[in-house]
Amino acid sequence: MIIDLSCYPTDLVDLAWRHDGPPFTGDKLLKMMDGPYYVNGKPRRIDKAFIQPPQGNTIYTHEVMDLEGKAAIRQYMAYTEKMVTEHPDRFLGCFVYNPRYGTQNGAEEIERYAKEFDFKMVQLQANMHAYRPDRALDWLRPALKKCADLGLMVKVHTGDGPYSIPTEFYPIIREFPEVNFILAHFGVQTGGVYVFEPMQMALDTPSVYVESGWCLQSRIVEFAKVLPKHKILFGSDTPPNEPGMWINLLEVLCHEPPQGLNLDEDTLEDYLGNNVARMIGLEATKPPATVEEAEAYLRQHGVALAA
């Protein structure tokens, strides 16, 4: 099972990043998830993806996203809700918490999406929503209390200054040790390369995990040698990224040193999806033993293979 932690299907082009082309819809994402992608020579698909709205569509934008309070939250979450409802076998919901629409409003909506639509995760995007996470603790506590009560994972956007440097989240992480925090993008984005901070945080703190996407290939080999095997989780940040390259980033771990570390396929499968599956109560699966087994699985799920 391959589970992607970070995907952003939308019916409205991201209002912050303004990617070229038409909106990257749920249908486009499903087609991309089917691949096939080749992992150690075997064709695979991305079985499930956590989806959420693009971050630029979770903020006030005049005459486009211009509602307030709960109405604004439901407006920016509407397409994610629609996709999760229509494709529950492929999409898992991630709620984006913007405290600027009201901390109590956000906390109540976290509970509603978790209970009504089975959302499993909440994301914090301090840079886009303009708050310092180590100082705005009163803005974060209502949401984190709700995540603790409901057993939800919290994914944290990291890699940008001034407000998304990984260690800025340590105060809220320490305050809620029962919540599993995932440091998205491994501390790499437009503003910096903070890869050693997430690695040390995951090494030192039981509740901290790292998302593999965006990490430097040579560093992921270093970090996989020392991190507990359950701490590395696959995420591609699609779009703008293409998931195949980040699957390959982890597959390289099965190569010989110095580029890889002769990782076994069962542990690779943990990184690609089983670690997350266990965190959200899904049954872990074995990697396909042969090419024929992999092809049969894809055909069973309607994925076309080249003749």
Side-chain angles (χ1 to χ4, degrees), residues 174-186:
R174 292 191 180 104
E175 193 168 326
F176 289 90
E178 68 273 42
V179 174
N180 288 324
F181 287 85
I182 301 166
L183 302 182
H185 321 323
F186 223 116

Side-chain angles (χ1 to χ4, degrees), residues 233-280:
L233 315 174
F234 167 63
S236 69
D237 206 21
T238 297
N241 290 340
E242 188 278 329
M245 64 176 292
W246 303 109
I247 292 174
N248 180 251
L249 176 88
L250 292 174
E251 180 200 17
V252 168
L253 296 173
C254 295
H255 297 186
E256 293 182 357
Q259 288 81 13
L261 47 79
N262 287 323
L263 189 74
D264 62 278
E265 289 197 48
D266 285 336
T267 302
L268 177 64
E269 199 75 3
D270 286 346
Y271 294 166
L272 289 172
N274 280 339
N275 284 341
V276 172
R278 295 183 187 101
M279 292 169 75
I280 61 175

Side-chain angles (χ1 to χ4, degrees), residues 34 111 116 135 163 173 185 197 215 236 240 250-252 260 266 279:
D34 281 344
E111 182 170 14
E116 293 186 21
R135 299 288 289 172
Y163 304 134
I173 288 170
H185 321 323
E197 287 191 14
C215 191
S236 69
L250 292 174
E251 180 200 17
V252 168
D266 285 336
M279 292 169 75

Side-chain angles (χ1 to χ4, degrees), residues 186 199 218-229 232 250 253 261 263 267 271:
F186 223 116
M199 187 275 289
S218 54
R219 297 290 81 78
I220 199 73
V221 177
E222 285 183 23
F223 300 157
K225 291 179 181 178
V226 297
L227 284 172
K229 291 183 178 181
I232 296 176
L250 292 174
L253 296 173
L261 47 79
L263 189 74
T267 302
Y271 294 166

